[in-house]
Amino acid sequence: MRIRIRLSEIVNFWPFRTCCRLPCNGRRLGKPDKMHFPALLQVRRKTLNSPDKAILIVTLPVLALLYGCGDTTDRTLSPPPDAKWVDVSFRVPDGVTLLPVEVLYRSEKCKTVRYNSSNESHEIPGYNDFEQKYQQQGGSDIWQSRVAIEGGGACQWSLRSLRVSFRLSADNPLAKGKKVIATNYIFDFGRYGLSDGYGTGRAKEGSGDLDLKVDFFPMVSNHLDKTASIKLFGGDSSYEKWSRRYRLQGTQNIAIQPIIHFDKVVTITPPATKPGSLIVTYPDGSSGKALHISPDYEKLLSMK
């Protein structure tokens, strides 16, 4: 009997998950990525007393469970006295939840080993990623987080990416009965940053301080399985002018002030019959085919 087992099922097995923290594009194992490791999965079928009952036993060699567990990289940050910093501030509107900022550092001094599709090893800069909370500024709606660009420490950590995420609050009436999806910004400060799987689009060049004021519209997506999701739509990020990813130089301040039009909900509905196009219903009641898979952002802007 031939059995196929997904890697995600293996890494979620509790001994592996508890023991190992392996890098995948700067993220810990368990995130979507291709990962190869020099271990064989041994699968055998064991028949029980009753012939119609059987169990599958998956055994992982000790090497697989211990792979990566010997990582003793010192991830302590110790910015030097003359370190440069970047301040990220976010104005949080009512009805919106700001998630902790994700910080990714890399180290050319403390490298880590990766494997390609041929199981050949090669070194890449070491990783150090974590989430950091924002601090409210007085009693205002401005929240700020300060991050060192030169992280220092034994590994001389260097900031490579920041991810800012926000979404509708769970108690927002628009979110009731729907899966709430976060909207993201990514700011890159060097190579080997965060992966592209956050819907931000390709990175565009930026320099100096940023003051980002973007119009967002609640976008409800109805699915074929009768479920619905909602996110804040700020334009099709596959277009550079609406991309929310920046490759920065000389930036010390990033200010994000989203302008959210809660009363301008746009809805995407799948076709009644296949094949067909997604139908977009705009706040004024008009409808039309989706551009690719997104609403017409310029049309939405004309309705604000």
Side-chain angles (χ1 to χ4, degrees):
M1 181 173 69
R2 188 186 180 112
I3 301 167
R4 298 181 64 186
I5 300 178
R6 293 178 298 178
L7 178 61
S8 60
E9 295 171 350
I10 299 301
V11 299
N12 285 324
F13 179 54
W14 72 265
F16 198 104
R17 186 178 68 245
T18 302
C19 176
C20 302
R21 298 171 61 194
L22 306 180
C24 289
N25 282 346
R27 301 182 61 76
R28 293 184 176 86
L29 193 60
K31 301 293 183 181
D33 193 16
K34 294 181 180 178
M35 186 70 189
H36 302 272
F37 51 88
L40 298 176
L41 299 180
Q42 300 173 359
V43 182
R44 65 186 168 90
R45 180 185 178 96
K46 180 178 179 182
T47 303
L48 301 181
N49 294 333
S50 176
D52 62 341
K53 295 181 180 179
I55 60 172
L56 297 178
I57 300 178
V58 180
T59 59
L60 287 162
V62 174
L63 178 60
L65 287 178
L66 296 182
Y67 183 76
C69 299
D71 182 7
T72 57
T73 302
D74 186 350
R75 292 183 169 82
T76 304
L77 299 180
S78 182
D82 59 347
K84 295 180 180 178
W85 296 74
V86 58
D87 290 316
V88 181
S89 64
F90 193 102
R91 185 187 66 80
V92 183
D94 291 336
V96 168
T97 295
L98 177 63
L99 304 176
V101 60
E102 181 176 2
V103 183
L104 172 63
Y105 286 93
R106 289 285 196 172
S107 170
E108 296 291 345
K109 184 176 180 181
C110 302
K111 294 191 175 183
T112 188
V113 176
R114 291 287 303 275
Y115 290 84
N116 60 22
S117 58
S118 300
N119 218 22
E120 298 170 333
S121 65
H122 63 282
E123 289 188 334
I124 61 171
Y127 77 102
N128 186 0
D129 67 325
F130 55 89
E131 292 182 342
Q132 180 169 298
K133 293 182 178 180
Y134 293 84
Q135 301 296 322
Q136 187 175 14
Q137 303 302 294
S140 71
D141 57 358
I142 302 295
W143 293 69
Q144 188 177 76
S145 189
R146 196 164 196 245
V147 181
I149 296 176
E150 295 97 10
C155 290
Q156 294 299 297
W157 296 106
S158 175
L159 180 64
R160 297 301 171 90
S161 289
L162 296 173
R163 178 167 67 95
V164 176
S165 304
F166 60 102
R167 56 174 173 77
L168 287 175
S169 301
D171 59 356
N172 189 311
L174 293 173
K176 185 177 181 180
K178 304 177 187 68
K179 178 181 178 181
V180 180
I181 300 174
T183 297
N184 301 285
Y185 281 93
I186 292 180
F187 305 98
D188 294 321
F189 296 80
R191 297 177 59 216
Y192 293 101
L194 290 168
S195 67
D196 297 327
Y198 297 99
T200 57
R202 293 185 178 182
K204 53 189 176 184
E205 301 295 330
S207 61
D209 294 343
L210 295 183
D211 188 4
L212 304 176
K213 297 178 181 178
V214 176
D215 291 277
F216 289 94
F217 300 84
M219 182 177 73
V220 176
S221 296
N222 294 308
H223 306 291
L224 291 172
D225 61 358
K226 306 302 181 182
T227 61
S229 59
I230 188 168
K231 66 179 296 184
L232 295 172
F233 177 68
D236 185 347
S237 60
S238 63
Y239 293 97
E240 182 179 355
K241 60 181 177 180
W242 294 320
S243 168
R244 294 188 303 278
R245 185 164 192 157
Y246 295 82
R247 187 181 298 110
L248 299 178
Q249 291 184 347
T251 300
Q252 293 182 297
N253 293 282
I254 300 171
I256 303 173
Q257 302 182 58
I259 304 166
I260 302 178
H261 305 278
F262 290 106
D263 60 339
K264 305 294 183 181
V265 178
V266 59
T267 303
I268 297 181
T269 305
T273 58
K274 294 183 178 181
S277 301
L278 296 173
I279 301 300
V280 180
T281 303
Y282 293 91
D284 65 354
S286 63
S287 62
K289 294 181 180 180
L291 302 176
H292 303 297
I293 58 173
S294 300
D296 185 334
Y297 185 59
E298 291 183 344
K299 182 173 181 176
L300 285 169
L301 291 175
S302 70
M303 300 178 184
K304 65 179 183 178

